[in-house]
Amino acid sequence: MRVLVVEDHRDLQANIARFLEPDFVLDFASTGPQGLALALAHTYDVIVLDLMLPGMSGIEVCERIRQLAPRLVPILMLTARDTLEDKQEGFQAGADDYLVKPFSLRELRWRLEALARRPVPPSGRRLQVGGLTLAPESGQVRCGERTVRLHRTEVLLLRLLMEAAPAALSAETLALRLWGEDAPESSALRTHIYALRKALATLGLDHAITTRRNEGYSLDASRCQTGP
């Protein structure tokens, strides 16, 4: 497994290197711009990204990776702040998981392995429901002439909803399909649903994802027309 660790504390870098090598191939960056450059230049199985970095914050680096990287690599964010608002900001920027400092190196390893096992968007096969289309490999969603690019987890979430449409999927089913037995806290799914709703709203689909009582979430793309 090849992992990029973007962390400015040298002692923590050294501890991570001693614990994970030689089972992992590790690259290290100490600033936000350096981490972004490495993330865009190489292929990694997981990126470990500190929130507070010199030159560019972890949130900004995460957003730029999601905007520019051709592949939807999993991102584990490190932070000393553990409020729900901080985690929501990270998830909305495109992070897949959170680890709060100080943390156990054993837990770091478990989370890296769990992220690497999570499903990835399939290559090549475009999905379509009505006039709404999703290219999973790039994360691009189109409705008419409008397009938006989704973060990795939102791509997986939309794919599940499109494959099930018009039926609903329960929160438990979505969490299991997204994260397997390694699901994060319950607020993570709600945060990703919220982010996906906002993204679809930019396409003119303000109420595309509905919540059905005792059933779960469903996708309604009927407002997205196939023609002009």
Side-chain angles (χ1 to χ4, degrees), residues 64-111:
R64 296 291 298 279
I65 290 173
R66 292 306 187 216
Q67 292 167 0
L68 301 174
R71 179 174 170 270
L72 295 168
V73 58
I75 295 177
L76 171 63
M77 192 161 281
L78 303 179
T79 178
R81 305 185 308 205
D82 62 349
T83 68
L84 288 177
E85 290 76 14
D86 293 324
K87 293 180 180 180
Q88 182 177 18
E89 184 182 19
F91 283 133
Q92 289 179 343
D96 294 280
D97 200 1
Y98 248 89
L99 191 54
V100 178
K101 296 179 179 180
F103 55 84
S104 162
L105 291 172
R106 292 175 63 193
E107 183 177 2
L108 173 63
R109 179 176 185 135
W110 295 337
R111 288 179 181 260

Side-chain angles (χ1 to χ4, degrees), residues 85-155:
E85 290 76 14
D86 293 324
K87 293 180 180 180
Q88 182 177 18
E89 184 182 19
F91 283 133
Q92 289 179 343
D96 294 280
D97 200 1
Y98 248 89
L99 191 54
V100 178
K101 296 179 179 180
F103 55 84
S104 162
L105 291 172
R106 292 175 63 193
E107 183 177 2
L108 173 63
R109 179 176 185 135
W110 295 337
R111 288 179 181 260
L112 292 176
E113 292 171 341
L115 282 170
R117 289 195 302 267
R118 288 182 184 177
V120 297
S123 300
R125 186 170 69 91
R126 190 181 71 165
L127 287 86
Q128 183 166 352
V129 174
L132 185 71
T133 61
L134 167 66
E137 190 171 15
S138 66
Q140 186 179 77
V141 183
R142 176 180 293 275
C143 175
E145 298 300 316
R146 299 182 183 182
T147 63
V148 65
R149 191 178 185 197
L150 303 179
H151 299 321
R152 178 181 182 274
T153 303
E154 280 74 60
V155 171

